[in-house]
Amino acid sequence: MRLEDYNPMKNEMYQVIDPSGKAKEKDHIPDLDDEQLKYLFRTMLYTRTIDEKALSYQRQGRMLTYAPNLGQEAAQVGSAYSLDKEDWLVPAFRELGAWLVRGVPLKNIYLYWYGNEWGSHMPDGVKVLPVSVPIASQLQHATGIGMANNIKNEKNVVLTYVGDGGTSHGDFHEALNFASVFKSPVVFIVQNNQYAISTSRKVQTLSENIALKATAYGMPGILVDGNDIFAMYNATKTAVDRARKGEGPTLIEAYTYRLGAHTTSDDPTKYRDDAEVEEWRKKDPILRFGEYLKENNVVDDEWIEETKKELGEEVKKTFESIEDNSDTELEDIFKYHFEKMPAQLQEQLDEYRSFLEGGK
Amino acid sequence: MRLEDYNPMKNEMYQVIDPSGKAKEKDHIPDLDDEQLKYLFRTMLYTRTIDEKALSYQRQGRMLTYAPNLGQEAAQVGSAYSLDKEDWLVPAFRELGAWLVRGVPLKNIYLYWYGNEWGSHMPDGVKVLPVSVPIASQLQHATGIGMANNIKNEKNVVLTYVGDGGTSHGDFHEALNFASVFKSPVVFIVQNNQYAISTSRKVQTLSENIALKATAYGMPGILVDGNDIFAMYNATKTAVDRARKGEGPTLIEAYTYRLGAHTTSDDPTKYRDDAEVEEWRKKDPILRFGEYLKENNVVDDEWIEETKKELGEEVKKTFESIEDNSDTELEDIFKYHFEKMPAQLQEQLDEYRSFLEGGK
Amino acid sequence: MANTLSIIQAINQALMNEMKNDDTVVVYGEDVGVEGGVFRATVDLQKTYGKERAFDTPLAESAIVGTAVGMAINGLKPVVEMQFSGFSYPAFNQIISHVARMRNRSRGQYNLPMVIRAPYGGGIRALEHHSESTEALYAQIPGLKVVIPSTPYDAKGLLIAAIRDPDPVLFWEPKRIYRAFKQEIPEEAYEIPLGKAKILQEGEDITIVTWGAMVPDVQKAVKMVQDKGISTEVIDLRTISPMDRESFIQSVKKTGRILVVHEAPKTLGVGAEIISIVNEKAFLHLEAPPTRLTGFDTTFPLPRGEKHYIPSPERIAKTIEDIVKY
Amino acid sequence: MANTLSIIQAINQALMNEMKNDDTVVVYGEDVGVEGGVFRATVDLQKTYGKERAFDTPLAESAIVGTAVGMAINGLKPVVEMQFSGFSYPAFNQIISHVARMRNRSRGQYNLPMVIRAPYGGGIRALEHHSESTEALYAQIPGLKVVIPSTPYDAKGLLIAAIRDPDPVLFWEPKRIYRAFKQEIPEEAYEIPLGKAKILQEGEDITIVTWGAMVPDVQKAVKMVQDKGISTEVIDLRTISPMDRESFIQSVKKTGRILVVHEAPKTLGVGAEIISIVNEKAFLHLEAPPTRLTGFDTTFPLPRGEKHYIPSPERIAKTIEDIVKY
Ligand SMILES: Cc1ncc(C[n+]2csc(CCOP(=O)(O)OP(=O)(O)O)c2C)c(N)n1
Ligand SMILES: Cc1ncc(C[n+]2csc(CCOP(=O)(O)OP(=O)(O)O)c2C)c(N)n1
Ligand SMILES: [Mg+2]
Ligand SMILES: [Mg+2]
């Protein structure tokens, strides 16, 4: 595919399979074998299971705040799958699908949401940055990682995510501008899920779509159906290849919808209609991809059921493995501020320990 | 004129009189009488005189850091002249021409550069904000002033300035986005003088021009020959009228050149060629407007000489009036932090006074 | 009519009252309008006073504060929300460079009658950046007032005073106790003067200065030591800047001992300033080292570690005993 | 070969040395490349090490610091410049939320070997925002080191140590004395350990703690009081955070008196922390109130007022006498 065939200034959107699962652009079906397709679908089912279980644990009081990615599975799984092993992922906080594709163990993910910093310590070789809570700030890290690649003459690229809300932030502007000026090999994905907590996308900006904002940086931008895993994969792959060839950054708007709540502390009925949600439920990316795969005899209902069961058990097992076993070690609170703990910190730790032990 | 006739996406630039002073678009000559034209030209000569004198005082060690606006007279005088009395001006720090048009007394201006805060205290009815040193931060004040107008249902508009360097800043993005979303009656003028201190405009952004950045906010943008006072006046007036009618903000790029140093602490020969400067000297906005006015018999050389002389004397008189008479009152350092001076501050003032008086 | 409210409800009522009393009060920020704020501080404002005066903004803290500067210059009294104090940093430049300085810069021509509200502090088992106590960052900036309430009554009265104040006020709300208890308070508007601490309890042996969500914890600790015969004077600072120095100077002159309890890290926390003032003003009265009991000099831990961070009533009690024994 | 340099030249040489010694060192910021910095701290770096390793950026402090975070994660050692410390605030969110926290957040996986340099302090008759001393803002943030040199020798050695440090360092340069005097220093790279204060002069009657551009002023004051028979111990703190507490604790145990002199405002300045530590660690040795002599709690005045702001040698001398007489 060619990015320039879809002009965001004309509000053109790239789509490969339509909401019913039919191929719309036949020659855009990516060249992936059945195992790969199953992996993608399995990963989407995995994220769905993780979300659902997390929500139910949360309702049972066994989990803290959790940000579901319900509805955004294609946008994440499809885009992240375009990376090579050595590439970097710089997430915001809602990138469950991308984390899984990039090899972040579920244990880390749950540990993080469960309130333990060790969740953000990735296994060796997993080049995924920790969650960045301050909206849009992570984009600058992505740009910097890419700039370092250029300086070191390394060919890996950086994939980074931000929400529609994040595009209003100054850091978005600066990160894209730096990336463009320094030809940083970054692909910026805006997951436009139509809301920033309760705030509608319409309140964020009057530009007709977000992809066209790329123009301001002399950067290509493309609007993509974010619920279409093939469109997301193709567009991201094209942008990743561009970046790897030294042609600089790309902005991709994944047009999608947050089917769930912002986080478990949020009640979306306060700010949006059920009817709107229902409309989008019909466009559920998992339904769509499932239809396509069934139609093309890659999976059948039985496979789906079994996979779901298997995933459900795995998720349960992983969650339970951390549940009673994840309090923060006291020393860890102090130990990672500097390579060598300064005297003041050591003293505070000692004093507190001595208090815990019942006095000086 | 119509803003939409000049498409920044195609790099079209609005120009009314060409560098030799000939009218290029005859029907775009604004409907101003000779007195008005003379006022405009006189004001340009005034800024030139103020700049030149300031530089010479500075060389004599009688002035501190000063930021000349040499070369940007048309961009400022032309744009500011489009405002009505009740409108606001929100400057950056290099807006000498706009200050004069809006009624800021030269005494204030020199006092400010001379290092006394009272320079920023405007006479009653002069709705001009103090210099804002942190680049691009003032744009948000402009947007907020306009938002307040909408809330209060007042019809005045806001004209604000930023440099090409400032367009890279996060605050630029946020201010334009807010202005657009809230239809704030603001006209944003980017004085693209090709440099941010030593940093070339080319380093700031890869977008072909700055005016097209408006697209990202769903806002009209126009690229204007900033050395053409009529083009600046017309474009700004059109944008101001739009804003007043409640149609929202506009971005204007004034394409111009800083003929002098960034400030008196700067040595531009370190980072740019004389040849480049020479090319732009030929496009000096004062020469151009002078040629036009002479051609059209509005002024003659004699008028120009006399005006210059008159202005020179006025500038000298004003500067000398502050020169030996502008030390900050001790109490003023403390007095304006809060409406009522807190006890701590009063104590610090008293202690210091007692030290000055030689003991407790 | 009984009007028994929590802190968060009292804040909402203060906003309601002032929007009614004064047309020029406008309230905005992220999720402040339609939803009424993630903590519901601004609930019903939009319904009652319209979209023009209570509204959602794009996600951009610098612009929220920066436009408030413009509004305040242009005759309004904006009350803006930072969704959490930990997200006030993108607005830091606007706050330190403009909010704090416009009056001085213009030699009194433009004052900024604006309020920046934010929930602050830990203990609600939240994500990173949702738990910090950084009142010291702002209290050190000349030209800002920093206010922290600890009860529904104070929250309402201080917020109304802040809105009416001709100078910019940072109003930091102790989210840990947003809903911890209720209090009967007047329904109509009333003011509690800024810059005045409150003596919660008089005592003879030691002075404790604290504020915000630590107040109830200190009160618990004080009860514990009371049984051991220690008489404590407890001061709720309420305004962090400019500080009511006389409140604790006079108290220390009586008790000879002082403990400052805060949730923020120790180094360069507000406790350091209080102790330095006590040294300057009551040195000869000191019978034990002025002491700080505070959060650690670390990032606030994620939930599985947070129980260690905030000084507990037990630790406070133990520290009081140690000082009194000195 | 004689290598007699001013502070600004020593900084330039430190950068030159480290760019030569270590390929991964890159230097960037506004006007840092072609021009070599508005104060010439980075002059010739681009000429010598190329545009890839010393370059100009668009005007955006948040991105300068934010991209440095990314670079540091990806194996480089960025040394970025804030043109003036007063323009570091747009980067405040990146500094407090990421620079200071990445190591802790990732439980040691990502450390950030980066340096943020900035000229700070007043006294050069500059425009607004060009004169402030806000080391206390940064010194209170867990996870950051803050370093301030006062001589060419220290500037070079501390900057090299900062660049080699595995943790992020804010290197605040006292611009008032950038060119005030020269010193002969080694041409090759050397390190002065971070976190260690320097005793400039030993004495018996009073301890003075200071740093940056105040050091020469304190030294002048000390000469004045010496004539009156007062023996002063002078400590140059050099690293503001984490602080070398032992240096002044031991000193105060000897002298019983302490004065902290800094240019920053008094309230919540670093002086407050030092005094609080002295109270905690040397209370029984105190013979006079630990004292601060500082800038006022005001915005730094424009040039026509600045002579009042920075404590003069005369004021310092007077204050020393007062404390000793106490
Ligand atoms: C700088 C900053 N401001 C505010 C917040 C609080 N906050 C958390 S998520 C969120 C909305 C983000 O919306 P969007 O960027 O669209 O991402 P989404 O949640 O839809 O994935 C807000 C305001 C934050 N985390 N950081
Ligand atoms: C936030 C901020 N960063 C850095 C500076 C230092 N500085 C002053 S002027 C300037 C360049 C501004 O360039 P531009 O916006 O093009 O305006 P011009 O000077 O050309 O009028 C810089 C970097 C500043 N004032 N504010
Ligand atoms: Mg969103
Ligand atoms: Mg410029």
Side-chain angles (χ1 to χ4, degrees):
Chain A
M1 64 118 11
R2 301 176 346 145
L3 299 172
E4 55 273 32
D5 291 342
Y6 304 87
N7 186 354
M9 299 293 294
K10 295 186 184 149
N11 217 24
E12 291 168 349
M13 193 189 307
Y14 179 50
Q15 195 183 63
V16 175
I17 42 177
D18 73 16
S20 73
K22 298 263 179 310
K24 217 185 105 191
E25 304 228 33
K26 282 244 162 64
D27 47 335
H28 281 228
I29 302 292
D31 185 22
L32 300 171
D33 64 28
D34 280 8
E35 282 318 299
Q36 290 177 301
L37 293 173
K38 276 187 195 159
Y39 168 79
L40 290 175
F41 193 49
R42 186 182 191 280
T43 307
M44 288 170 82
L45 293 172
Y46 197 13
T47 75
R48 188 63 59 98
T49 313
I50 293 166
D51 268 5
E52 284 169 354
K53 290 267 186 196
L55 294 181
S56 95
Y57 294 137
Q58 211 274 342
R59 270 189 300 269
Q60 297 162 26
R62 296 164 66 190
M63 188 84 186
L64 306 175
T65 308
Y66 178 84
N69 82 327
L70 226 79
Q72 301 178 221
E73 295 87 353
Q76 296 178 17
V77 173
S79 55
Y81 194 64
S82 69
L83 293 185
D84 286 353
K85 180 155 183 4
E86 286 305 310
D87 295 335
W88 290 86
L89 187 89
V90 180
F93 60 98
R94 198 191 292 286
E95 274 70 43
L96 177 56
W99 291 328
L100 294 174
V101 172
R102 298 304 296 156
V104 180
L106 175 57
K107 182 165 175 174
N108 281 68
I109 297 167
Y110 268 170
L111 207 52
Y112 172 78
W113 291 113
Y114 200 66
N116 187 309
E117 285 83 353
W118 278 103
S120 295
H121 187 104
M122 301 297 160
D124 279 357
V126 173
K127 291 164 79 175
V128 175
L129 261 56
V131 159
S132 174
V133 171
I135 298 297
S137 59
Q138 71 280 2
L139 302 177
Q140 303 195 331
H141 310 159
T143 297
I145 290 175
M147 288 166 72
N149 279 341
N150 287 348
I151 294 170
K152 297 192 295 174
N153 223 334
E154 287 178 2
K155 289 293 166 217
N156 60 73
V157 311
V158 192
L159 181 61
T160 187
Y161 294 85
V162 69
D164 47 314
T167 64
S168 299
H169 220 270
D171 273 10
F172 171 85
H173 179 69
E174 296 187 5
L176 269 74
N177 191 47
F178 264 55
S180 154
V181 166
F182 296 110
K183 270 198 189 300
S184 184
V186 186
V187 179
F188 297 96
I189 305 223
V190 177
Q191 290 193 74
N192 172 7
N193 63 6
Q194 314 302 334
Y195 286 91
I197 309 185
S198 73
T199 305
S200 159
R201 146 70 182 86
K202 292 176 200 114
V203 171
Q204 293 298 337
T205 173
L206 290 198
S207 87
E208 202 177 346
N209 58 62
I210 289 167
L212 69 77
K213 287 180 189 275
T215 315
Y217 312 105
M219 186 193 293
I222 182 169
L223 175 60
V224 178
D225 181 341
N227 288 11
D228 174 349
I229 189 163
F230 287 157
M232 281 305 299
Y233 171 74
N234 287 343
T236 314
K237 183 96 179 70
T238 307
V240 161
D241 291 345
R242 265 194 93 237
R244 206 181 306 282
K245 277 185 280 182
E247 292 168 17
T250 305
L251 176 66
I252 296 177
E253 174 180 358
Y255 194 82
T256 181
Y257 194 80
R258 193 193 75 213
L259 286 172
H262 170 69
T263 66
T264 44
S265 334
D266 174 50
D267 173 8
T269 62
K270 286 221 155 56
Y271 52 82
R272 67 187 187 186
D273 285 344
D274 284 350
E276 178 187 295
V277 183
E278 275 320 305
E279 270 318 298
W280 276 94
R281 239 188 256 289
K282 294 179 199 154
K283 298 187 229 170
D284 184 328
I286 293 191
L287 287 182
R288 183 189 309 194
F289 194 39
E291 286 308 313
Y292 173 86
L293 292 177
K294 284 194 273 180
E295 190 119 343
N296 290 276
N297 301 313
V298 182
V299 303
D300 55 20
D301 285 332
E302 196 188 336
W303 183 92
I304 295 178
E305 277 322 299
E306 247 169 54
T307 305
K308 277 190 183 168
K309 218 183 113 205
E310 193 187 294
L311 290 168
E313 276 158 23
E314 194 182 319
V315 169
K316 185 163 174 283
K317 211 177 66 200
T318 308
F319 180 74
E320 285 169 358
S321 81
I322 63 157
E323 193 173 16
D324 297 315
N325 184 26
S326 56
D327 268 6
T328 296
E329 295 286 332
L330 176 57
E331 199 177 7
D332 282 0
I333 296 175
F334 295 83
K335 206 168 145 184
Y336 296 99
H337 281 73
F338 300 100
E339 185 169 83
K340 209 170 148 289
M341 203 190 291
Q344 285 98 307
L345 269 185
Q346 186 66 53
E347 182 183 280
Q348 291 179 15
L349 171 57
D350 293 345
E351 276 177 16
Y352 181 62
R353 266 215 189 105
S354 120
F355 165 76
L356 287 182
E357 288 157 8
K360 302 207 184 191
Chain B
M1 62 117 15
R2 300 176 346 146
L3 299 173
E4 56 273 31
D5 291 342
Y6 305 86
N7 186 355
M9 299 293 296
K10 297 190 182 145
N11 216 23
E12 291 168 352
M13 193 188 308
Y14 179 51
Q15 196 182 64
V16 175
I17 43 179
D18 72 17
S20 72
K22 299 264 179 310
K24 215 184 105 189
E25 305 228 34
K26 284 244 162 63
D27 47 336
H28 281 227
I29 300 291
D31 184 25
L32 300 170
D33 64 28
D34 280 8
E35 281 319 298
Q36 291 176 301
L37 292 172
K38 277 188 194 157
Y39 167 79
L40 289 175
F41 194 49
R42 186 182 192 278
T43 307
M44 289 168 82
L45 293 172
Y46 197 12
T47 76
R48 188 62 61 97
T49 314
I50 293 166
D51 268 4
E52 285 168 352
K53 290 265 183 199
L55 294 181
S56 94
Y57 295 137
Q58 210 275 342
R59 270 191 299 271
Q60 298 162 26
R62 297 163 66 190
M63 187 83 185
L64 304 177
T65 307
Y66 178 85
N69 81 328
L70 226 80
Q72 302 178 219
E73 295 87 352
Q76 295 177 19
V77 173
S79 55
Y81 195 63
S82 69
L83 293 184
D84 285 354
K85 182 159 182 355
E86 285 306 310
D87 295 334
W88 290 86
L89 187 89
V90 180
F93 61 97
R94 199 191 290 287
E95 274 70 44
L96 177 56
W99 291 329
L100 294 174
V101 172
R102 299 303 296 158
V104 180
L106 176 57
K107 182 165 175 175
N108 281 68
I109 296 168
Y110 269 168
L111 206 53
Y112 172 78
W113 291 112
Y114 201 67
N116 187 309
E117 286 82 353
W118 278 103
S120 295
H121 188 105
M122 302 295 160
D124 278 355
V126 173
K127 289 165 81 176
V128 175
L129 260 55
V131 159
S132 174
V133 172
I135 299 295
S137 59
Q138 72 280 2
L139 302 177
Q140 305 195 332
H141 311 160
T143 297
I145 291 174
M147 287 165 72
N149 278 342
N150 287 348
I151 294 169
K152 298 190 295 175
N153 225 334
E154 288 178 2
K155 289 294 164 217
N156 59 72
V157 310
V158 191
L159 181 60
T160 188
Y161 294 84
V162 68
D164 46 317
T167 65
S168 298
H169 220 271
D171 273 10
F172 172 84
H173 179 67
E174 296 187 5
L176 267 73
N177 192 47
F178 264 56
S180 152
V181 166
F182 294 111
K183 271 197 189 298
S184 184
V186 186
V187 180
F188 296 96
I189 304 224
V190 176
Q191 291 193 73
N192 173 7
N193 64 5
Q194 314 301 334
Y195 286 91
I197 310 188
S198 73
T199 304
S200 159
R201 146 70 182 84
K202 291 177 199 113
V203 171
Q204 293 298 337
T205 173
L206 292 197
S207 89
E208 202 176 346
N209 58 63
I210 289 167
L212 68 77
K213 287 180 189 276
T215 316
Y217 312 104
M219 186 193 293
I222 183 170
L223 175 59
V224 178
D225 181 341
N227 287 10
D228 174 349
I229 190 164
F230 288 159
M232 282 305 299
Y233 172 73
N234 286 343
T236 314
K237 183 96 178 72
T238 307
V240 161
D241 290 346
R242 264 195 95 238
R244 206 181 308 282
K245 276 184 282 180
E247 292 168 16
T250 305
L251 176 65
I252 296 177
E253 174 181 357
Y255 194 83
T256 181
Y257 194 81
R258 193 193 77 211
L259 285 171
H262 170 70
T263 67
T264 44
S265 336
D266 174 49
D267 172 9
T269 63
K270 286 222 153 54
Y271 53 81
R272 67 186 189 187
D273 285 344
D274 283 353
E276 177 186 297
V277 184
E278 274 320 305
E279 270 319 297
W280 276 94
R281 240 188 258 289
K282 293 179 198 154
K283 298 187 230 172
D284 184 329
I286 292 189
L287 287 182
R288 184 190 308 194
F289 194 38
E291 285 309 313
Y292 172 87
L293 293 177
K294 284 194 272 180
E295 190 118 342
N296 290 276
N297 301 315
V298 183
V299 304
D300 55 20
D301 285 332
E302 196 186 335
W303 183 92
I304 294 177
E305 278 323 299
E306 246 170 55
T307 304
K308 278 189 182 168
K309 217 181 114 206
E310 194 185 292
L311 290 168
E313 276 158 24
E314 194 181 319
V315 170
K316 183 161 175 284
K317 211 178 65 200
T318 308
F319 181 75
E320 284 169 359
S321 82
I322 63 156
E323 193 173 15
D324 298 315
N325 184 26
S326 56
D327 268 5
T328 296
E329 295 286 332
L330 177 57
E331 199 177 5
D332 282 359
I333 295 175
F334 295 83
K335 206 168 146 184
Y336 296 99
H337 281 73
F338 299 100
E339 185 168 84
K340 211 172 146 286
M341 203 188 294
Q344 284 96 306
L345 269 185
Q346 185 66 54
E347 183 184 280
Q348 291 178 15
L349 170 57
D350 292 346
E351 276 176 16
Y352 180 64
R353 267 218 186 101
S354 120
F355 165 78
L356 288 181
E357 288 158 7
K360 304 215 180 184
Chain C
M1 209 178 69
N3 184 50
T4 306
L5 305 181
S6 63
I7 289 182
I8 190 81
Q9 290 169 324
I11 287 166
N12 181 254
Q13 190 167 77
L15 294 168
M16 281 283 190
N17 286 163
E18 283 309 277
M19 289 189 82
K20 183 169 177 193
N21 292 338
D22 183 349
D23 266 6
T24 66
V25 175
V26 296
V27 176
Y28 62 100
E30 293 156 13
D31 305 297
V32 153
V34 174
E35 186 186 29
V38 295
F39 285 104
R40 308 275 179 264
T42 56
V43 85
D44 287 341
L45 298 184
Q46 185 170 84
K47 219 177 289 171
T48 314
Y49 298 104
K51 281 190 185 173
E52 293 243 295
R53 290 182 57 208
F55 55 90
D56 294 323
T57 66
L59 204 169
E61 290 79 13
S62 181
I64 292 169
V65 173
T67 55
V69 170
M71 286 203 190
I73 286 173
N74 195 6
L76 298 183
K77 291 188 186 149
V79 182
V80 297
E81 178 176 300
M82 304 277 97
Q83 201 161 77
F84 287 84
S85 72
F87 305 131
S88 63
Y89 311 132
F92 196 77
N93 187 40
Q94 286 290 343
I95 294 172
I96 191 170
S97 298
H98 294 300
V99 175
R101 288 165 168 242
M102 194 56 83
R103 184 192 277 275
N104 183 58
R105 176 182 300 148
S106 69
R107 283 293 183 254
Q109 184 162 35
Y110 295 116
N111 64 312
L112 301 181
M114 60 185 277
V115 177
I116 305 177
R117 293 180 39 249
Y120 93 100
I124 61 155
R125 314 212 307 167
L127 296 175
E128 205 189 339
H129 309 284
H130 290 70
S131 299
E132 37 216 282
S133 294
T134 44
E135 62 271 22
L137 276 179
Y138 294 105
Q140 76 181 255
I141 300 174
L144 291 182
K145 295 183 179 176
V146 180
V147 174
I148 297 178
S150 70
T151 64
Y153 182 80
D154 283 6
K156 178 167 172 178
L158 289 168
L159 180 53
I160 290 176
I163 296 172
R164 294 179 184 176
D165 199 272
D167 287 307
V169 179
L170 266 57
F171 195 81
W172 257 214
E173 301 165 4
K175 68 170 102 69
R176 179 153 62 97
I177 55 170
Y178 258 164
R179 298 186 165 82
F181 54 93
K182 296 194 173 191
Q183 211 177 8
E184 197 173 322
I185 65 176
E187 222 167 329
E188 62 281 6
Y190 59 93
E191 282 185 61
I192 296 178
L194 306 188
K196 283 267 160 253
K198 186 175 178 187
I199 299 180
L200 297 181
Q201 171 178 320
E202 300 201 10
E204 302 301 324
D205 300 329
I206 180 170
T207 302
I208 305 189
V209 182
T210 192
W211 52 90
M214 294 310 302
V215 169
D217 292 332
V218 163
Q219 286 174 317
K220 275 182 216 149
V222 161
K223 286 230 177 69
M224 295 177 193
V225 298
Q226 202 170 346
D227 299 342
K228 302 191 180 173
I230 300 174
S231 161
T232 312
E233 182 139 316
V234 181
I235 297 176
D236 179 353
L237 200 55
R238 296 204 294 201
T239 296
I240 308 300
S241 176
M243 217 179 259
D244 182 354
R245 304 182 302 172
E246 285 308 312
S247 68
F248 54 84
I249 294 169
Q250 293 314 326
S251 179
V252 171
K253 285 186 177 167
K254 178 173 65 175
T255 64
R257 293 174 154 84
I258 183 167
L259 168 66
V260 186
V261 180
H262 60 64
E263 210 179 300
K266 187 175 209 168
T267 293
L268 283 162
V270 175
E273 181 60 29
I274 293 174
I275 289 177
S276 298
I277 293 171
V278 165
N279 270 269
E280 286 160 9
K281 304 291 180 186
F283 181 71
L284 292 178
H285 300 266
L286 290 173
E287 287 163 32
T291 301
R292 302 176 276 181
L293 182 62
T294 68
F296 307 126
D297 283 336
T298 69
T299 299
F300 196 96
L302 292 188
R304 295 293 145 199
E306 79 177 23
K307 68 171 180 219
H308 297 299
Y309 195 87
I310 302 175
S312 63
E314 292 72 23
R315 261 178 92 199
I316 301 169
K318 169 85 170 55
T319 310
I320 296 173
E321 286 178 56
D322 288 349
I323 300 172
V324 172
K325 273 190 233 142
Y326 186 85
Chain D
M1 206 175 75
N3 185 48
T4 306
L5 306 182
S6 64
I7 289 182
I8 190 82
Q9 291 169 323
I11 286 166
N12 181 254
Q13 191 167 78
L15 294 169
M16 280 283 189
N17 287 164
E18 283 308 277
M19 289 189 82
K20 183 168 178 198
N21 293 338
D22 184 349
D23 267 5
T24 65
V25 175
V26 296
V27 176
Y28 62 99
E30 293 155 13
D31 306 296
V32 153
V34 174
E35 186 186 30
V38 295
F39 285 104
R40 308 276 180 261
T42 56
V43 85
D44 287 339
L45 297 185
Q46 184 171 86
K47 220 177 285 169
T48 314
Y49 297 105
K51 280 190 186 174
E52 292 244 295
R53 291 182 56 208
F55 56 90
D56 294 324
T57 67
L59 204 168
E61 290 79 11
S62 181
I64 291 170
V65 173
T67 56
V69 169
M71 287 203 188
I73 285 174
N74 195 7
L76 298 183
K77 291 188 186 146
V79 182
V80 297
E81 179 176 299
M82 304 277 96
Q83 200 159 77
F84 287 84
S85 71
F87 305 131
S88 64
Y89 311 131
F92 196 76
N93 187 38
Q94 286 290 343
I95 295 173
I96 191 169
S97 299
H98 294 301
V99 175
R101 287 167 170 241
M102 194 57 83
R103 184 191 276 275
N104 183 59
R105 177 182 300 147
S106 69
R107 282 294 183 253
Q109 184 162 35
Y110 295 117
N111 65 312
L112 301 180
M114 59 184 278
V115 177
I116 305 176
R117 294 179 41 249
Y120 92 99
I124 61 155
R125 314 212 306 168
L127 296 175
E128 204 189 340
H129 309 285
H130 289 70
S131 300
E132 36 216 281
S133 295
T134 45
E135 62 271 22
L137 275 180
Y138 294 104
Q140 76 181 256
I141 300 174
L144 292 181
K145 296 184 177 176
V146 180
V147 174
I148 296 179
S150 71
T151 64
Y153 181 80
D154 284 4
K156 179 167 171 181
L158 289 168
L159 180 53
I160 290 177
I163 295 172
R164 294 180 183 177
D165 199 272
D167 286 307
V169 179
L170 266 60
F171 195 83
W172 257 214
E173 302 165 3
K175 69 170 100 70
R176 177 154 63 97
I177 54 170
Y178 258 163
R179 299 188 163 79
F181 53 94
K182 294 194 175 193
Q183 211 177 6
E184 197 173 322
I185 66 175
E187 221 168 326
E188 62 281 4
Y190 59 92
E191 283 185 59
I192 295 176
L194 306 188
K196 284 269 160 251
K198 185 174 178 187
I199 298 180
L200 297 180
Q201 171 177 323
E202 300 202 11
E204 301 301 323
D205 300 330
I206 181 170
T207 302
I208 304 188
V209 183
T210 192
W211 53 90
M214 293 312 301
V215 169
D217 292 332
V218 163
Q219 286 173 319
K220 274 181 215 149
V222 161
K223 286 230 177 68
M224 296 177 192
V225 297
Q226 203 170 344
D227 300 342
K228 303 192 177 171
I230 299 175
S231 161
T232 312
E233 182 139 317
V234 181
I235 297 176
D236 178 354
L237 200 54
R238 296 203 293 199
T239 297
I240 308 300
S241 175
M243 218 180 254
D244 182 356
R245 303 181 304 170
E246 285 310 310
S247 68
F248 55 83
I249 293 170
Q250 293 314 326
S251 179
V252 170
K253 283 185 178 168
K254 178 173 67 176
T255 63
R257 292 176 155 84
I258 183 168
L259 168 65
V260 186
V261 180
H262 62 63
E263 208 178 302
K266 187 174 209 170
T267 293
L268 283 163
V270 175
E273 181 60 30
I274 293 174
I275 289 176
S276 298
I277 293 172
V278 165
N279 270 268
E280 286 160 10
K281 304 289 179 187
F283 181 70
L284 291 177
H285 300 267
L286 290 173
E287 288 164 31
T291 301
R292 302 175 276 181
L293 181 61
T294 68
F296 307 126
D297 283 336
T298 69
T299 298
F300 197 98
L302 291 187
R304 295 292 144 200
E306 79 177 21
K307 68 173 182 219
H308 296 300
Y309 194 86
I310 302 175
S312 63
E314 293 72 22
R315 259 178 93 199
I316 301 170
K318 169 86 168 56
T319 309
I320 296 173
E321 287 178 59
D322 288 348
I323 300 172
V324 173
K325 272 191 232 144
Y326 185 84

